Amino acid sequence: MRTILPGKPQARLQALCTTEWEGLRLVVYISGHGLMILSGPGDLVQTIYHEDFEALIAVTIDEASGNIAAASSREVHVYRPYGKEDGLLKWSLQCTIPRPQQEPKDVALSWGTDEELLVGSSSLRLFQTAIDEAEIWCRALSKPTRIAKFSCDANLIASTGRYDRLVKLWRRQSCGADDTRFDFTYLPHPTAVTAIQWRRPHTRVQASEHVLYSVCADHKLRIWAAMDQQRVPGLQLWAEIDMQDSVQPRQLNPEIYYQDRFAFFIDSQDFSRTTTATLKQAAEPGAANLDSKEQHALEHLAEIAKSSPEICVVLDRHGHMSAWGLENVGCKVRKPTDIFNIAHVENFDLGFLDSADRIENNTQFVPFCWGQPAAPFILLAHHFDGRIEWTECRLEELFAPSPQQKRTRRKTLWTGHDGPVKKIVRSASGKAVISRTNDNEALTWAQGFGDSDLGLTRRSALKCSDHIHRSWLLQEGQFVVNLHYASISLWDTRPSRAIQIGHVPFDIEGHPICLVQLPKPRSDAKTLHIATISSKQNGIIWEITLPESSVRQSNARRPSVSSMKYLCAFGLDVNDNIAFMLPIDPAGLAVWTSSSLDTFSKDIAISCSHDGRLRTWTAALDSDGSAVEWLVTSTVETGIKEPSLASASSIRKTALVDNSKTGLTIWDMRSGQFDYSVQYGGLEQIRDLDWSSTPDDQALLAVGFPHKVIILAQMRYDYLYAGAAWAPIRSINIKESTPHPIGDSTWLGSGNLLIGAGNQLFIYDKSVDSSEDMISNLTLPVHKREKMNLFDLVTILNGPLPLFNPQFISQCILAGKFRQAQRILYSLYNALKFYTDGDALDSFLSMSPDIFTIEAQTSNSGNLDYHSHYGSIDEEMEPDLEEVAASLNERLSKLSISQLSRQEQMQLADMVECVSTVTKHQRSMDENATRYLLFFRQHMIRKGQVPQDRASITYREIVWAYHSSSQDILVDLTSRQFQGRMLWADAKDCGLFMWMSDVNALRAQFEVVARNEYAKTDEKNPIDCSLYYLALRKKNVLLGLWRMAGWNREQASTQRLLSNNFQEARWKTAALKNAYALLGKRRFEYAAGFFLLAGNLQDAVNVCLHQMRDLQLAVAVARVYEGDEGSVLRLLLTDKVLPQAASEGDRWLATWAFWMLGKRDLALRSLISPVHTLLDTPEWPKMQARSHLANDPALVVLYKQLRGRSLQTLKGASRISAREEWDFVIQTARVYDRMGCDLLALDLVRNWEFLVQAREVPSQTEGPPDPRMMLRRRSSLVVDDLTSPKSPTGMKAGVGKPPSQKGFEEPEANSLLDNFGF
């Protein structure tokens, strides 16, 4: 649903027209250079823009053909409809009629019969447009005509000029393209004629009985009719109505009384149709019971309709209305009863405004029958101040003699600009906006229209002589600050015409680029401070004192007391080469000053340098209010050179567009990471960014293109499937509504989106349909797949997860809460016993949140004891988990759980099976092995469901297995997964040769892979296993396999080659030649084997790494060939693996590599610090390294596990500042919250223990402090893996000493850890 403000209608007599064509009501009006065609209050059919330099001045539509004629001062354009049969009604240009250059600007248009078009100005010209724009009649006039109209049968033309007292009545004498003639007579009036109108015939007979209505400046309405055609040809005055006497004030001496009178006619045809429909509806069975007043109103209407009169309605600005019925119009002898009063009522309010401009005080009315039961009668009020009101009413209420509180209902308002919208600025709450054009004309708008928040009410119009560079709304749009290049002005926008109440010139180095309001104290809402910042990073602050907002200024001519004065100047203390600086997109409540200026203060501005450095700023005045202090709250290096556009929200999200205007990135300013990156193809470039937020601070971003807007919604973080953190949920395309590109857009406070395109404003409501393509791809719960609003949708996509969501269960297992995960499955099993589709399922499954936040105790055996906190799982009471899993999967395949999407339900079924499988082996494995096995099993299930998915297991699972003490069990279980026939692809899939720590077992498993590779085909090709046997240095085994490969044509030559001694230089050279030859043939694996045959491990590793792009194979070959202490492996880890980890931001790969290198302190630090900062030659990482995916929350679990494992890790922990660890924990808690795992975030911040800082460690008498003193608990067995110090002081300190031979001593109760003599 949308609301349209099509544009400001021209203040012209022929700016608006309407007709019913082929059963469709069409309303056409002109606005600036545009032609607006509508079929209802909110139905814009088409917008046609003209490229003329001059605006349109007249428009008319042909009731018979649907053709539209629109005129400018240069030419007349004729448009023909097409596509109505296909449901795609549009108009296209049929012909263009040039106007003579000497003609005045004013023009009158009128359609005749057979697509004849009358064009009146200094002459009357008649064109036949059916075939071509042939001129068939022309008559020069002594005075330019202002109004010219055909009668309904096109036999008469009535015309009059500006300030003319005579109406010329032209009578057609002959028809035909070659011989069209008119003669004329005069209809004299005592004063200037202001309006003329022909009566629309009710019957065929009436079509030849011409009746003309005319209105003069004497406030009298005259009715002209052909009373006696035989004796007096032409029209004669039949009657007149004095509009001044018809409507009189009800008060004796009103304070303000306007003499203006307005009139419109309801033709008997429309009146009869509307009355018949109303009476029929009231008589239908089941109609609402009417009270006495309503019944009397209906009877009154029925009485009026008996004679099918013409209705003349006269009204004034005060809501007084007098209605007159006209019967027997044109009879030779008029009876006194032929004109009778129908009603004289009050409360007929049509939105009149007081304007100083006499032209803008004019109003035209266009009534017609709408034909809808709820609103059978429509009145269009064209106010010349730039508004068209669509007003609905029922005739029985309109003419009811009894008092009525409200007789009409304003359905919509068509208004706006007459030039293209350039910029739209909203207030902090979004309840008010200001839109402006290139001509420095601005309109302020207030949100809300009647009972709906979808509309905008025009509050004030602002015309400024200076160029408006920036604007800022104060007090919900009641005041506006405009920044110019050398001055600043303050405007009171409470009146319908804004009044300038302050103007201060200024001089500043550079040009002003930003206008922002400083935070204000809650105690002083009337004193505000506005700052501007220049391109040279200098600024000025002004103090503004506003008048009382309670004083209504709608009719004021003088401004109330206010002031604006210079306060101080300032400079920003940074060396950035600022490209632009922008205020924070408010998307929330107003910014109030806090008691202290720190990084927790609300941001008010964001700056972006030419090299892509983003900074957010806050500011506050000092205690005496004479100076301002600016503070940088966050800094992010994006690496995007010469960005073209940026926008930041109040919840510290920033969107940045690259130089090509096609790439968009979204950054989290709190953590410095980027959440989302997308490259938009096509020819359209990004032109606008607008932020909004839901009541619970979930973000929405509108990305504007020339003809469409894509809305992106914040999503939950997904570290299991690497899901996107943002997703498009809606696309708004305005190309079908208007050809003009989008000028600007902004969010309203209610969540509706306001788009300015050309001189039109489109308001799209926040409701979305889940059946749309963009939303149907999202993981929405089944019961939510219905119509909803944007805020509800974003809350669903970001809110807390139910405990049985597979994401939450997975994170529980990663966090070491395997027992809680099992408890969830048991509770879900019990909850689904009596569950049916559509039932609500408790998100907590009747479980206490304390289960997840009370830290488990550690028993003497090292196993975690959860039973004392949430009750043990009674194995006699609960069924076996394997049975539970089978039952759950059966139920999940049949039921639809309301809180889960179909995809999540499938993932839950997989998770249930995985937990069941792991539970069988849980007692014989440690926690890390449990984590690995569960996610490996889940990976294999997903791979079976999606065979084309060739992704290997992630380095996170590899690290869990690497730090497991149950690797022998894992090797056995993973081998069983492949039925004991593990190939290299399988080994790579499970990361086996990355996480096995026993080199002997590694080589044995590598030989198993070699045998399986050899036997994987029926022909048993020794080439398939050559690399593996040569890495194992088992050339003779390979030679034996070649002896059995008689079918292979390479057998003889290869067998002869392998029979030689490759310790000799000549055979090494021969092996190298063969290796390079095989590289040329792109037989990379075979080539790597020959490099190993030549003893050149480095080249073999390079081939695996670069040509085969297989890091795991390179690591496996190096480990098997020379062990974990080999130079090639260390070089591979140092020069290839770690730079890759730094470039991609892969902390899991980095910590594994550092641990392999024996640098356990760096392995621990890499879990917190950016990897590139830990390398000797740091390179600027790729953008991927700063992605939110690099901050896996499971890193904190590994960090806590490793930091107390050895002295090296404790040493590494000692180099991590308390602030770094604090930020790491808080950031992980935020990630948990963004994932929907709020309970895990609470558990983390509630139970986290920081190490004792160096200043808190008891001082030593001599030597460096013992890292073990940093631990707060006595629950760790710390391995001494530091190198033995060479100095005696180091030996005395006990760091690096060999284990002592003394026996075990019971530690004291207050000891920090168990001391076993290390």
Side-chain angles (χ1 to χ4, degrees), residues 589-694:
L589 299 176
V591 179
W592 303 95
T593 185
S594 58
S595 57
S596 60
L597 186 66
D598 50 35
T599 55
F600 295 100
S601 302
K602 285 287 187 181
D603 300 332
I604 62 172
I606 183 170
S607 64
C608 183
S609 64
H610 287 279
D611 56 359
R613 183 182 301 108
L614 296 174
R615 295 185 192 271
T616 53
W617 299 80
T618 188
L621 292 172
D622 59 9
S623 56
D624 58 358
S626 60
V628 65
E629 181 182 357
W630 289 82
L631 176 67
V632 176
T633 56
S634 62
T635 302
V636 174
E637 297 284 353
T638 66
I640 299 175
K641 305 298 181 183
E642 300 297 337
S644 59
L645 193 62
S647 180
S649 73
S650 55
I651 55 177
R652 295 195 172 177
K653 303 287 184 184
T654 299
L656 192 65
V657 180
D658 62 12
N659 190 35
S660 67
K661 297 184 179 180
T662 58
L664 171 70
T665 53
I666 300 177
W667 300 79
D668 187 328
M669 300 300 293
R670 281 192 180 95
S671 60
Q673 67 190 19
F674 92 92
D675 281 356
Y676 184 70
S677 176
V678 63
Q679 194 74 28
Y680 293 103
L683 301 177
E684 291 196 338
Q685 296 179 331
I686 301 173
R687 300 179 60 171
D688 188 31
L689 300 169
D690 294 288
W691 286 100
S692 181
S693 64
T694 65

Side-chain angles (χ1 to χ4, degrees), residues 802-805 808-809 818-835 840-849 851-852 870-873 878-881 884-885 887-888 891-892 897 908 912 915:
L803 298 187
F804 47 84
N805 189 283
F808 185 85
I809 297 175
F818 191 75
R819 285 295 187 89
Q820 285 90 330
Q822 292 175 320
R823 183 74 252 174
I824 291 172
L825 298 186
Y826 279 114
S827 300
L828 180 62
Y829 167 76
N830 292 325
L832 292 183
K833 286 181 178 179
F834 307 102
Y835 179 86
L841 197 61
D842 180 18
S843 295
F844 283 90
L845 298 174
S846 302
M847 298 172 63
S848 170
I851 295 174
F852 300 91
Y870 63 89
S872 61
I873 301 175
E878 296 284 1
D880 184 71
L881 188 58
V884 170
S887 177
L888 270 178
R891 291 176 180 272
L892 290 173
I897 299 179
L908 177 60
V912 170
V915 172

Side-chain angles (χ1 to χ4, degrees), residues 402-625:
S402 59
Q404 299 283 331
Q405 188 69 26
K406 200 172 184 180
R407 297 181 182 271
T408 61
R409 295 172 296 278
R410 192 172 66 172
K411 180 67 174 179
T412 192
L413 178 70
W414 295 333
T415 184
H417 297 274
D418 55 5
V421 175
K422 178 184 178 182
K423 186 65 178 176
I424 304 176
V425 180
R426 57 170 274 175
S427 64
S429 65
K431 295 180 180 179
V433 296
I434 181 171
S435 56
R436 70 172 188 266
T437 66
N438 288 322
D439 300 328
N440 301 316
E441 292 184 352
L443 294 174
T444 58
W445 308 83
Q447 183 184 349
F449 184 84
D451 298 330
S452 171
D453 64 352
L454 190 56
L456 285 179
T457 303
R458 197 180 80 171
R459 173 178 283 168
S460 182
L462 185 153
K463 175 65 176 178
C464 186
S465 58
D466 296 333
H467 173 73
I468 301 176
H469 187 48
R470 297 284 188 271
S471 297
W472 194 271
L473 293 173
L474 303 175
Q475 291 192 351
E476 299 301 340
Q478 296 188 62
F479 301 90
V480 174
V481 176
N482 286 328
L483 177 68
H484 316 287
Y485 284 116
S487 63
I488 187 170
S489 58
L490 175 64
W491 298 75
D492 185 349
T493 54
R494 291 174 293 178
S496 59
R497 284 281 176 181
I499 304 171
Q500 182 173 307
I501 58 177
H503 184 269
V504 179
F506 65 83
D507 184 18
I508 192 172
E509 183 182 1
H511 59 276
I513 59 175
C514 181
L515 182 68
V516 64
Q517 180 183 350
L518 299 187
K520 59 182 179 180
R522 294 179 183 269
S523 59
D524 189 3
K526 298 301 177 186
T527 302
L528 309 172
H529 296 89
I530 296 290
T532 185
I533 302 167
S534 75
S535 56
K536 299 296 183 181
Q537 303 176 30
N538 299 317
I540 299 175
I541 294 179
W542 294 273
E543 184 176 274
I544 298 175
T545 302
L546 297 177
E548 291 293 332
S549 59
S550 60
V551 179
R552 187 64 183 168
Q553 296 286 319
S554 59
N555 297 316
R557 291 288 185 266
R558 293 183 300 173
S560 53
V561 178
S562 61
S563 67
M564 181 170 61
K565 63 181 181 179
Y566 168 88
L567 182 65
C568 65
F570 63 88
L572 299 180
D573 190 18
V574 292
N575 296 321
D576 293 351
N577 184 14
I578 293 181
F580 46 81
M581 191 166 186
L582 303 166
I584 295 294
D585 203 332
L589 299 176
V591 179
W592 303 95
T593 185
S594 58
S595 57
S596 60
L597 186 66
D598 50 35
T599 55
F600 295 100
S601 302
K602 285 287 187 181
D603 300 332
I604 62 172
I606 183 170
S607 64
C608 183
S609 64
H610 287 279
D611 56 359
R613 183 182 301 108
L614 296 174
R615 295 185 192 271
T616 53
W617 299 80
T618 188
L621 292 172
D622 59 9
S623 56
D624 58 358

Side-chain angles (χ1 to χ4, degrees), residues 120-133:
S121 185
S122 58
S123 62
L124 288 179
R125 296 189 296 160
L126 187 60
F127 295 89
Q128 176 53 254
T129 63
I131 302 174
D132 52 24
E133 60 276 16

Side-chain angles (χ1 to χ4, degrees), residues 1067-1139:
W1067 296 115
K1068 284 186 178 182
T1069 303
L1072 288 175
K1073 288 181 179 179
N1074 279 278
Y1076 287 118
L1078 290 169
L1079 283 178
K1081 296 179 181 180
R1082 304 189 65 81
R1083 299 172 67 181
F1084 299 130
E1085 183 179 320
Y1086 204 23
F1090 274 90
F1091 278 123
L1092 292 177
L1093 192 62
N1096 198 335
L1097 175 61
Q1098 184 63 61
D1099 286 342
V1101 168
N1102 289 339
V1103 170
C1104 296
L1105 191 64
H1106 300 299
Q1107 276 72 31
M1108 300 179 67
R1109 300 185 181 278
D1110 193 340
L1111 173 61
Q1112 288 199 38
L1113 183 60
V1115 171
V1117 168
R1119 295 185 70 188
V1120 169
Y1121 194 85
E1122 63 175 7
D1124 288 350
E1125 301 300 325
S1127 59
V1128 174
L1129 176 63
R1130 299 184 70 84
L1131 190 64
L1132 172 64
L1133 296 175
T1134 303
D1135 293 353
K1136 301 296 181 182
V1137 176
L1138 285 174

Side-chain angles (χ1 to χ4, degrees), residues 52-55 57 71-76 97-101:
D52 298 345
F53 292 103
E54 299 293 334
I57 55 178
S72 66
S73 61
R74 296 185 176 188
E75 52 195 5
V76 178
I97 303 172
R99 295 183 60 193
Q101 294 184 356

